[in-house]
Amino acid sequence: MASAGADVAAAPGRLGGRLSGDRIATAALVMIAVSVLWRAQVASRGFLAVDDYVLITQAAESRLTVEHLFALYNNHLMPGGRLLIWLVTEYVGLAYWPYVLLMAIGQAILGVTFFRLLRRMLRPSALLLLPLGLLLFSPLTLEATTWWAVGVNMLPMQIAMVLAVSAQVGYVQTRRRRHLVALALALLLGLMFFEKSILIVPLVFLLTAACYADGGPVRAIWTTIRRWWPSWLMLTVLSLAFAAAYLSRSESSLRRPESAGEVFSFLAQILGSTVIPGLVGGPWQWLGAGDGAPVAAPPQLGTWVGWTIVAVVVTATVRQRRRAGRAWLLLAAYLLMVAGMLAATRLGSAFSGVAGGHPRYVSDVVVVAAICLGVAVVGLARTTSTALPPAAAQPPTTPTVPAPTAPVEAAPAAAAPTAPAAAAPAAAAVSQPAWPASRHGVIHAEAPVDPEPAPLPVAPGQPPADVPPTPVDVPPASPAEPPTPGLLGPVPERYREAVTVVLVLVLVAVGLGTVWTTARYGDEWAAKSGRSYIDTVRIEMASAPPDTVFFDAPVPDNVVPRLSSPYNLQSRFFRAFGTRPTFVDETNNASIIDDLGRIQVATIVGSTIQPGPQEGCGYLVDTGKTVRMPLTEPRFEWNWVVRIGYLSSADGTATLRLGDGVAQFLVRKGLNQHFFRITGGGDAVELTVTSGEVSLCTNEIAVGNLAPRSE
């Protein structure tokens, strides 16, 4: 582990080095691989669902144009996602496996970039695997790695969050402008897939203030604004430009809660049922929601256990490390922003009762929670200077360094043999005041620093990664946390063994809970009506006669709900199908795809005409005459399908009228039937033979909807 620690100290922002020489990186990559394969296996048990079909249909109906890419979907702007969907639809068709592959790739990228962030931002420690494990395996992110309509928004946003934070940390550490470019590109990446990525801007600002600025809230915010103003200027310009473009195209999604009780119930649900249980391996139980992802439904005992674990972790880390309190406040602030955005767009609607129970709405919170856990448990890495201040342009013969306000006696004894050359400057610094000015890449002692031991200096010949050597490597009084005796630092020696056992048991319990929750989620996700429906239609179409035609009708509500109309129509649902059904508006022999996907002979369910007066004929209609036929039940104004069975003496044409609706159809000699659409309503139909020398008998006219004919 010593070589691993040296490797990390030498390259805090890189995965680099041979894996055999870095056990932490090896373990991290194994964890990432396991999470990717596990999530891919869970995802592959399911299928496309609900919004997936609508997005695929829109891609199949459109060419690859700017208008299509930037079209809003449910008020979401997602040109990057539309591009991926269009490419898959164009070259693969209606399939699920490409989206599983894309989500697996996204999960892998997220894991690698997050571990890189941990190496850059935090101290070298095996405890880095704790926040990494939280991000990779938290059940709160299951929807983002299984349901494409969620993953196409959330995975790029999560990756963008990690890249943006990493870029800002790099800028704080080095003041290199390339990190500003990376920060801008990260924000744009997120906004290309999900407008919610605008939350990256306040996240980066608050994280910088919490982790890299000293003093009270007002002073920390002012220091953050003043010291790293190029970041905020660039992010503000990008945010305003995006907001102007988005608001000019979107409709307002803001809603007003019906009561204070609705708001309270929502907050209790999002915290008690979703976030807190999800952070400790819950919710352990799920409530099925059709083809969509299940809703969190934790048992009451599990909720209280989750609150207890979180409270203990927060309390213990705050007592051990000063920055931990700020980290948890950062998490609370971000969660408050997410909850406020969700409440403003979901409460006051028909779905407000379950708005807080969907983990997909808070899956981005896991990224922030993992970062905050790392800061609280591991501590921040040292911040090293990359340039001298103007006053030090001509350094004296004996360089001096700014002194921390903490007593020098707090420095660990191990520092002397590690870096003997630093002993003289450190001793001289005792009598010198702290510099009240900022320097590139350095956070100086403008406020009292931690009253804890100073951090160990970097070993000679091992400069931090991404930081070129300087004439004088000045160890600043940065807000980085000094090393502690370990996670159990504050615990008395006689209790450490018992506390260690308890911590191991808690970790094991959280791990087992995560496995259980993920398995139960997989069971719910595997039940897909849409997959069964599509597979059955494929089989039926392969064996159907070539002249089989269908009237358009909605797919079952459990596949695409009617709220998605008109994209729930079969003619649009099967647009990306390999062998598409043929849909018509009139035919002599209609077929229908039933709710199970089977092809059956069609008939009409609805009103029929009352029996006619002619024996053996019913109603006799001659050319040029109009016959009125009362219906058994009146029909309201709607788009109906009519079936007429008749016996005709010759070929000709006829016209049927239903209220204001009129439809003309061909009449063929002999015993025939005909199906056609008509828009109208009333309590009777009128039939007229308009051409040919025709005498027509009918006693079978039905107005209604298509249905399978019973055998």
Side-chain angles (χ1 to χ4, degrees), residues 559-572:
V559 177
V560 180
R562 64 189 67 187
L563 288 174
S564 298
S565 177
Y567 295 102
N568 65 331
L569 294 176
Q570 294 173 357
S571 59
R572 310 192 80 163

PDB file of all heavy atoms in Angstrom, residues 559-572:
ATOM      1  N   VAL A 559     -48.690  -0.750 -22.596  1.00  0.00           N
ATOM      2  CA  VAL A 559     -47.501  -0.627 -23.443  1.00  0.00           C
ATOM      3  C   VAL A 559     -47.177   0.856 -23.650  1.00  0.00           C
ATOM      4  O   VAL A 559     -46.089   1.313 -23.312  1.00  0.00           O
ATOM      5  CB  VAL A 559     -47.707  -1.338 -24.792  1.00  0.00           C
ATOM      6  CG1 VAL A 559     -46.481  -1.134 -25.687  1.00  0.00           C
ATOM      7  CG2 VAL A 559     -47.959  -2.824 -24.571  1.00  0.00           C
ATOM      8  N   VAL A 560     -48.124   1.601 -24.223  1.00  0.00           N
ATOM      9  CA  VAL A 560     -48.007   3.055 -24.335  1.00  0.00           C
ATOM     10  C   VAL A 560     -49.323   3.655 -23.864  1.00  0.00           C
ATOM     11  O   VAL A 560     -50.364   3.403 -24.472  1.00  0.00           O
ATOM     12  CB  VAL A 560     -47.713   3.511 -25.779  1.00  0.00           C
ATOM     13  CG1 VAL A 560     -47.608   5.032 -25.846  1.00  0.00           C
ATOM     14  CG2 VAL A 560     -46.430   2.883 -26.296  1.00  0.00           C
ATOM     15  N   PRO A 561     -49.333   4.411 -22.791  1.00  0.00           N
ATOM     16  CA  PRO A 561     -50.592   4.952 -22.270  1.00  0.00           C
ATOM     17  C   PRO A 561     -51.224   5.942 -23.230  1.00  0.00           C
ATOM     18  O   PRO A 561     -50.540   6.569 -24.043  1.00  0.00           O
ATOM     19  CB  PRO A 561     -50.178   5.624 -20.956  1.00  0.00           C
ATOM     20  CG  PRO A 561     -48.725   5.903 -21.120  1.00  0.00           C
ATOM     21  CD  PRO A 561     -48.176   4.815 -21.984  1.00  0.00           C
ATOM     22  N   ARG A 562     -52.518   6.100 -23.110  1.00  0.00           N
ATOM     23  CA  ARG A 562     -53.240   6.995 -24.008  1.00  0.00           C
ATOM     24  C   ARG A 562     -52.847   8.456 -23.828  1.00  0.00           C
ATOM     25  O   ARG A 562     -53.099   9.286 -24.697  1.00  0.00           O
ATOM     26  CB  ARG A 562     -54.744   6.824 -23.814  1.00  0.00           C
ATOM     27  CG  ARG A 562     -55.265   7.212 -22.432  1.00  0.00           C
ATOM     28  CD  ARG A 562     -56.706   6.794 -22.276  1.00  0.00           C
ATOM     29  NE  ARG A 562     -56.842   5.341 -22.269  1.00  0.00           N
ATOM     30  CZ  ARG A 562     -58.002   4.697 -22.280  1.00  0.00           C
ATOM     31  NH1 ARG A 562     -59.130   5.382 -22.320  1.00  0.00           N
ATOM     32  NH2 ARG A 562     -58.029   3.380 -22.266  1.00  0.00           N
ATOM     33  N   LEU A 563     -52.213   8.768 -22.700  1.00  0.00           N
ATOM     34  CA  LEU A 563     -51.717  10.134 -22.515  1.00  0.00           C
ATOM     35  C   LEU A 563     -50.665  10.503 -23.559  1.00  0.00           C
ATOM     36  O   LEU A 563     -50.420  11.688 -23.807  1.00  0.00           O
ATOM     37  CB  LEU A 563     -51.122  10.296 -21.116  1.00  0.00           C
ATOM     38  CG  LEU A 563     -52.107  10.317 -19.941  1.00  0.00           C
ATOM     39  CD1 LEU A 563     -51.350  10.344 -18.625  1.00  0.00           C
ATOM     40  CD2 LEU A 563     -53.044  11.503 -20.040  1.00  0.00           C
ATOM     41  N   SER A 564     -50.068   9.492 -24.180  1.00  0.00           N
ATOM     42  CA  SER A 564     -49.045   9.737 -25.199  1.00  0.00           C
ATOM     43  C   SER A 564     -49.631   9.829 -26.595  1.00  0.00           C
ATOM     44  O   SER A 564     -48.882   9.856 -27.580  1.00  0.00           O
ATOM     45  CB  SER A 564     -47.993   8.622 -25.162  1.00  0.00           C
ATOM     46  OG  SER A 564     -47.324   8.582 -23.927  1.00  0.00           O
ATOM     47  N   SER A 565     -50.955   9.867 -26.708  1.00  0.00           N
ATOM     48  CA  SER A 565     -51.606   9.977 -28.009  1.00  0.00           C
ATOM     49  C   SER A 565     -51.062  11.192 -28.767  1.00  0.00           C
ATOM     50  O   SER A 565     -50.793  12.239 -28.155  1.00  0.00           O
ATOM     51  CB  SER A 565     -53.117  10.122 -27.812  1.00  0.00           C
ATOM     52  OG  SER A 565     -53.766  10.286 -29.041  1.00  0.00           O
ATOM     53  N   PRO A 566     -50.847  11.074 -30.091  1.00  0.00           N
ATOM     54  CA  PRO A 566     -51.193   9.976 -31.001  1.00  0.00           C
ATOM     55  C   PRO A 566     -50.109   8.921 -31.158  1.00  0.00           C
ATOM     56  O   PRO A 566     -50.211   8.060 -32.035  1.00  0.00           O
ATOM     57  CB  PRO A 566     -51.415  10.709 -32.313  1.00  0.00           C
ATOM     58  CG  PRO A 566     -50.401  11.814 -32.266  1.00  0.00           C
ATOM     59  CD  PRO A 566     -50.346  12.254 -30.826  1.00  0.00           C
ATOM     60  N   TYR A 567     -49.066   8.984 -30.345  1.00  0.00           N
ATOM     61  CA  TYR A 567     -47.970   8.032 -30.496  1.00  0.00           C
ATOM     62  C   TYR A 567     -48.305   6.658 -29.931  1.00  0.00           C
ATOM     63  O   TYR A 567     -47.468   5.759 -29.983  1.00  0.00           O
ATOM     64  CB  TYR A 567     -46.707   8.590 -29.837  1.00  0.00           C
ATOM     65  CG  TYR A 567     -46.213   9.830 -30.527  1.00  0.00           C
ATOM     66  CD1 TYR A 567     -46.449  11.086 -29.986  1.00  0.00           C
ATOM     67  CD2 TYR A 567     -45.542   9.755 -31.738  1.00  0.00           C
ATOM     68  CE1 TYR A 567     -46.012  12.235 -30.624  1.00  0.00           C
ATOM     69  CE2 TYR A 567     -45.100  10.901 -32.382  1.00  0.00           C
ATOM     70  CZ  TYR A 567     -45.347  12.132 -31.825  1.00  0.00           C
ATOM     71  OH  TYR A 567     -44.921  13.265 -32.470  1.00  0.00           O
ATOM     72  N   ASN A 568     -49.513   6.495 -29.398  1.00  0.00           N
ATOM     73  CA  ASN A 568     -49.952   5.176 -28.952  1.00  0.00           C
ATOM     74  C   ASN A 568     -50.684   4.424 -30.047  1.00  0.00           C
ATOM     75  O   ASN A 568     -51.132   3.300 -29.832  1.00  0.00           O
ATOM     76  CB  ASN A 568     -50.847   5.304 -27.721  1.00  0.00           C
ATOM     77  CG  ASN A 568     -52.141   6.025 -28.018  1.00  0.00           C
ATOM     78  OD1 ASN A 568     -52.206   6.877 -28.897  1.00  0.00           O
ATOM     79  ND2 ASN A 568     -53.191   5.702 -27.266  1.00  0.00           N
ATOM     80  N   LEU A 569     -50.843   5.018 -31.236  1.00  0.00           N
ATOM     81  CA  LEU A 569     -51.487   4.324 -32.345  1.00  0.00           C
ATOM     82  C   LEU A 569     -50.539   3.289 -32.944  1.00  0.00           C
ATOM     83  O   LEU A 569     -49.326   3.519 -33.048  1.00  0.00           O
ATOM     84  CB  LEU A 569     -51.916   5.323 -33.421  1.00  0.00           C
ATOM     85  CG  LEU A 569     -53.009   6.316 -33.022  1.00  0.00           C
ATOM     86  CD1 LEU A 569     -53.260   7.300 -34.154  1.00  0.00           C
ATOM     87  CD2 LEU A 569     -54.302   5.565 -32.662  1.00  0.00           C
ATOM     88  N   GLN A 570     -51.111   2.166 -33.371  1.00  0.00           N
ATOM     89  CA  GLN A 570     -50.287   1.094 -33.932  1.00  0.00           C
ATOM     90  C   GLN A 570     -49.525   1.552 -35.166  1.00  0.00           C
ATOM     91  O   GLN A 570     -48.367   1.148 -35.370  1.00  0.00           O
ATOM     92  CB  GLN A 570     -51.169  -0.106 -34.271  1.00  0.00           C
ATOM     93  CG  GLN A 570     -51.793  -0.791 -33.066  1.00  0.00           C
ATOM     94  CD  GLN A 570     -52.783  -1.863 -33.457  1.00  0.00           C
ATOM     95  OE1 GLN A 570     -53.052  -2.074 -34.637  1.00  0.00           O
ATOM     96  NE2 GLN A 570     -53.348  -2.546 -32.464  1.00  0.00           N
ATOM     97  N   SER A 571     -50.148   2.388 -35.992  1.00  0.00           N
ATOM     98  CA  SER A 571     -49.479   2.831 -37.213  1.00  0.00           C
ATOM     99  C   SER A 571     -48.203   3.607 -36.913  1.00  0.00           C
ATOM    100  O   SER A 571     -47.262   3.604 -37.721  1.00  0.00           O
ATOM    101  CB  SER A 571     -50.427   3.700 -38.040  1.00  0.00           C
ATOM    102  OG  SER A 571     -50.840   4.843 -37.293  1.00  0.00           O
ATOM    103  N   ARG A 572     -48.126   4.245 -35.760  1.00  0.00           N
ATOM    104  CA  ARG A 572     -46.938   5.006 -35.388  1.00  0.00           C
ATOM    105  C   ARG A 572     -46.021   4.153 -34.513  1.00  0.00           C
ATOM    106  O   ARG A 572     -44.793   4.247 -34.622  1.00  0.00           O
ATOM    107  CB  ARG A 572     -47.332   6.288 -34.668  1.00  0.00           C
ATOM    108  CG  ARG A 572     -48.389   7.074 -35.418  1.00  0.00           C
ATOM    109  CD  ARG A 572     -48.598   8.463 -34.892  1.00  0.00           C
ATOM    110  NE  ARG A 572     -47.574   9.381 -35.385  1.00  0.00           N
ATOM    111  CZ  ARG A 572     -47.702  10.699 -35.346  1.00  0.00           C
ATOM    112  NH1 ARG A 572     -48.803  11.257 -34.855  1.00  0.00           N
ATOM    113  NH2 ARG A 572     -46.742  11.475 -35.792  1.00  0.00           N
TER     114      ARG A 572
END
